[in-house]
Amino acid sequence: MLSPFPIFQSSPSRQDIYPRTGGYQSNMAGPVPVASSLSDIYTIDALGTQAKRWNSLLTRFQTIYGQPAEFVARSPGRVNIIGEHIDYSLYPVLPMAITADSLLAVSTNVASSNAKEGHYKIKIANVQDAKFPTHEFDIPYDAVDIDATVHEWTNYFKSGLRGALELLRKKHGADFKPKSMQILMDGTVPAGGGLSSSAAFVSSSALAVMVANGEKTVDKTELTELAIVSERAVGVNSGGMDQSASVFSERGSALFVSFTPSLKARAVSFPKTNPELTFLIAQSFVTADKFVTGPIHYNLRVVECSLAAAYLNAVLNPPGTPLPSDASPLSVSLHGFHETFFALQEHSAGATSSKSTESQLEELVALTEKTLDKKDGYTREEIAAVLNISVDELDKQFTSRFPVRAEKFKLRQRALHVFSEALRVLKFMSLLEQQPANTDDTSEYNAQLGGLLNQTQDSCRDVYECSCNEIDELCASARRAGSYGSRLTGAGWGGCSVHLVPADKVKAVKEAWEREYYSKLDLTDEQKEAAVVVSKPGSGSAVYLVEDRGPVVVDDRIGDGLRMAGR
Ligand code: NG1
């Protein structure tokens, strides 16, 4: 297990938090970095383990394919600090990348005679070959076929491939011919663990395809946008938080991701606190498979949020007002309703000053409580009548993309969670912008940050209904042992939890979990080792060119980082 690491930096001034544009750090757009050493990618304490892992990946590649890899594409998993289940309603979120990641070692040196006429060849293997068997595909130049009804690990690669090829065709013309690739994958983000293994895999796959096909630089925004759309091809109506965190993150900072008017990410650091604060991530070991449970969990929530947007629009905006078509999975979102509602309100009042987003969200919470008063949910017929469309039309617009199973849609609860969670993200950000009043003892400030995380958990459990007993137990146990704030992170219904813990209580919290939770499960040594990690904000996607630099070598003086030996 890792030792406690204070994620809160010693950069106390507001200037340090948002140095460049008088309030916020500038957008972090630009190309995906090409790493020249592992110390460009990982924090110092991770270097020893990572160097061994990279070396074994490259050695195994050579053994499997009889030739060295040309490059490695890397994208990490993430933990979300605050802003749960609101990215697909297009409200900003605050995740950070973690050390665990997806690595794809690649070579394009495949004889063309190997592939069928009019096709290119993809050979893909995994270091965990017993769990993820090797596959070979002959793929026609013009289309990548993905069978989303089959749960197959290579679908994630194929969806990154498909998205990257769409972009390459836009750039180089419709008759662009993709290269054959030989790939060996090593992923350390636990699948179904709430840390976004799928986004790490899809983003690294898309990045690998771009580089394999000769792109010298890969734009981070383009990569993120294509990874978001690609992941939807695997059967999940996903939002954009995970892919943004995976691609854009910078070591040492969390990431504020906003989705409108266009995708933007900026690094956010934290004021120095006393006691120092640490984020702990704890696995529940309840596997939440979004793909399998989508029709009653994740995809249903996406549908409910879009239906809530359409319903509120029909009732609260003038008759016939269209909702703007946007980048959300079903093209209409609560954020779109929010913007339309206040734009019309200001227009009709001839307003000279607009309300703050915080007060707008407070007003929306109150309006939702009044307007969507059916606590047990709304039937298709009831919603269709208000939208003035047939039930068939409703199904076509909202439930045909991904199947959902529900008699009633809980529009009230879903809208209330989304508006109140969007408000909590703003409150969290505004706390980060402030200096704690008393820097000798910031307990009260720490408790305010933690309080917002606790409110998120309450809302996820009671209103959005995406927690589970095991996560609730982990949160309660952590709070009793001294956590300021504890909540599920990611989609929920199992997976992981995140906890804001004073550094001097980390031991007590871990002991409490062991006593009250983990000791009651039948865990393997490997699971015990992975159960709790102290999370540091890690860096985002990167490419490492093996050809230029040769295999990874651990320097004796690990403190100097790692060097890459020339061949
Ligand atoms: P997970 O399942 O934890 O990777 C999912 C979505 C996110 C976001 C969160 C809930 C995907 C790939 N990810 O995260 O976009 O909606 O749930 O906040 O679908």
Side-chain angles (χ1 to χ4, degrees):
M1 227 163 269
L2 300 171
S3 61
F5 173 88
I7 79 135
F8 281 37
Q9 310 290 302
S10 52
S11 50
S13 73
R14 184 192 153 105
Q15 254 248 299
D16 277 342
I17 305 175
Y18 301 121
R20 270 169 277 189
T21 54
Y24 295 103
Q25 273 191 9
S26 64
N27 183 18
M28 299 148 85
V32 172
V34 176
S36 57
S37 85
L38 290 198
S39 51
D40 289 348
I41 300 177
Y42 300 107
T43 46
I44 187 105
D45 62 303
L47 285 177
T49 322
Q50 292 301 332
K52 279 194 204 108
R53 172 176 169 234
W54 279 60
N55 274 333
S56 119
L57 175 73
L58 295 175
T59 310
R60 194 133 160 222
F61 188 98
Q62 172 88 42
T63 312
I64 296 175
Y65 296 116
Q67 55 175 273
E70 289 159 16
F71 68 89
V72 177
R74 181 250 178 198
S75 289
R78 63 97 191 94
V79 59
N80 188 18
I81 300 171
I82 193 159
E84 216 59 270
H85 282 281
I86 60 171
D87 58 345
Y88 49 83
S89 291
L90 302 188
Y91 284 102
V93 293
L94 189 70
M96 66 188 187
I98 54 174
T99 304
D101 57 13
S102 157
L103 302 179
L104 263 66
V106 178
S107 148
T108 53
N109 187 9
V110 185
S112 56
S113 56
N114 254 341
K116 278 202 296 203
E117 179 68 24
H119 293 65
Y120 56 100
K121 170 87 66 198
I122 299 290
K123 294 185 190 177
I124 181 163
N126 194 301
V127 295
Q128 296 180 61
D129 49 2
K131 208 162 153 197
F132 305 110
T134 302
H135 284 279
E136 265 193 50
F137 304 104
D138 284 305
I139 303 183
Y141 281 130
D142 55 350
V144 183
D145 189 30
I146 302 171
D147 184 355
T149 61
V150 181
H151 201 22
E152 160 57 48
W153 77 277
T154 51
N155 275 358
Y156 293 94
F157 172 78
K158 283 188 185 169
S159 68
L161 172 71
R162 179 148 89 184
L165 293 184
E166 267 164 34
L167 184 60
L168 287 166
R169 282 198 190 96
K170 265 191 216 141
K171 288 188 173 180
H172 303 295
D175 52 1
F176 175 82
K177 289 196 170 45
K179 288 220 172 120
S180 292
M181 296 167 74
Q182 304 181 125
I183 302 155
L184 179 60
M185 191 221 173
D186 181 4
T188 49
V189 191
L195 299 176
S196 250
S197 56
S198 55
F201 191 8
V202 173
S203 308
S204 56
S205 300
L207 178 60
V209 173
M210 299 292 284
V211 177
N213 284 285
E215 293 300 295
K216 296 263 178 288
T217 57
V218 178
D219 181 71
K220 287 190 217 167
T221 308
E222 280 183 344
L223 176 63
T224 307
E225 284 172 346
L226 83 81
I228 295 170
V229 176
S230 302
E231 196 156 339
R232 294 186 187 150
V234 201
V236 178
N237 257 337
S238 87
M241 163 170 72
D242 304 348
Q243 299 81 355
S244 307
S246 187
V247 173
F248 280 102
S249 286
E250 285 182 3
R251 195 164 49 201
S253 304
L255 197 74
F256 182 75
V257 186
S258 50
F259 303 97
T260 58
S262 60
L263 177 72
K264 290 222 162 44
R266 58 181 191 250
V268 179
S269 47
F270 294 75
K272 186 169 166 50
T273 60
N274 188 13
E276 254 173 347
L277 289 168
T278 302
F279 280 112
L280 287 185
I281 304 176
Q283 286 280 352
S284 67
F285 293 106
V286 175
T287 305
D289 190 329
K290 278 206 304 292
F291 175 83
V292 175
T293 62
I296 53 163
H297 288 156
Y298 193 88
N299 287 343
L300 177 58
R301 294 296 180 276
V302 176
V303 168
E304 287 174 319
C305 287
S306 298
L307 285 172
Y311 194 105
L312 290 170
N313 180 58
V315 176
L316 296 174
N317 281 333
T321 304
L323 271 183
S325 167
D326 57 29
S328 62
L330 295 172
S331 306
V332 291
S333 67
L334 284 165
H335 186 272
F337 159 71
H338 173 161
E339 298 249 284
T340 313
F341 179 75
F342 287 102
L344 290 171
Q345 203 183 63
E346 278 167 30
H347 181 75
S348 67
T352 45
S353 70
S354 40
K355 294 174 181 163
S356 70
T357 312
E358 288 205 17
S359 63
Q360 290 178 348
L361 285 165
E362 276 159 8
E363 197 174 322
L364 288 176
V365 168
L367 274 172
T368 303
E369 275 170 347
K370 226 166 50 199
T371 314
L372 292 167
D373 56 356
K374 285 179 144 243
K375 294 191 177 153
D376 63 342
Y378 293 75
T379 62
R380 282 176 164 78
E381 289 72 17
E382 284 166 339
I383 302 169
V386 168
L387 301 190
N388 204 13
I389 56 176
S390 66
V391 170
D392 281 354
E393 184 57 29
L394 181 140
D395 277 330
K396 191 162 149 239
Q397 278 184 34
F398 294 95
T399 66
S400 61
R401 196 176 146 75
F402 294 110
V404 296
R405 283 200 305 276
E407 293 300 315
K408 289 194 173 182
F409 298 91
K410 293 197 174 173
L411 307 189
R412 172 191 173 88
Q413 292 85 339
R414 308 320 177 215
L416 282 177
H417 169 80
V418 171
F419 294 138
S420 66
E421 182 69 357
L423 193 54
R424 282 186 285 276
V425 173
L426 295 185
K427 288 184 178 162
F428 200 91
M429 287 295 288
S430 90
L431 275 174
L432 294 184
E433 287 173 44
Q434 290 163 23
Q435 269 311 291
N438 172 7
T439 45
D440 293 336
D441 176 3
T442 64
S443 308
E444 203 180 307
Y445 175 85
N446 298 355
Q448 283 178 320
L449 287 172
L452 288 166
L453 301 189
N454 288 333
Q455 285 172 27
T456 296
Q457 175 60 17
D458 292 348
S459 184
C460 283
R461 186 190 57 225
D462 302 334
V463 186
Y464 214 69
E465 299 173 288
C466 61
S467 189
C468 64
N469 291 341
E470 292 82 351
I471 292 276
D472 298 342
E473 258 181 59
L474 280 167
C475 292
S477 160
R479 286 181 205 138
R480 283 194 298 270
S483 164
Y484 286 115
S486 290
R487 64 175 209 82
L488 66 85
T489 185
W493 296 288
C496 263
S497 53
V498 63
H499 309 263
L500 187 63
V501 180
D504 59 358
K505 292 280 169 56
V506 167
K507 193 163 168 275
V509 171
K510 284 180 174 173
E511 283 169 1
W513 283 331
E514 179 51 33
R515 203 173 48 245
E516 297 168 14
Y517 188 79
Y518 292 121
S519 60
K520 299 184 181 146
L521 306 181
D522 189 17
L523 298 180
T524 62
D525 288 348
E526 204 187 325
Q527 284 176 316
K528 281 184 195 148
E529 186 65 26
V532 180
V533 284
V534 178
S535 177
K536 303 168 193 189
S539 60
S541 297
V543 176
Y544 173 69
L545 302 172
V546 185
E547 277 189 319
D548 291 356
R549 305 201 169 265
V552 183
V553 173
V554 188
D555 197 297
D556 294 343
R557 297 149 299 145
I558 196 87
D560 291 337
L562 299 174
R563 68 187 164 78
M564 305 297 188
R567 280 187 296 156

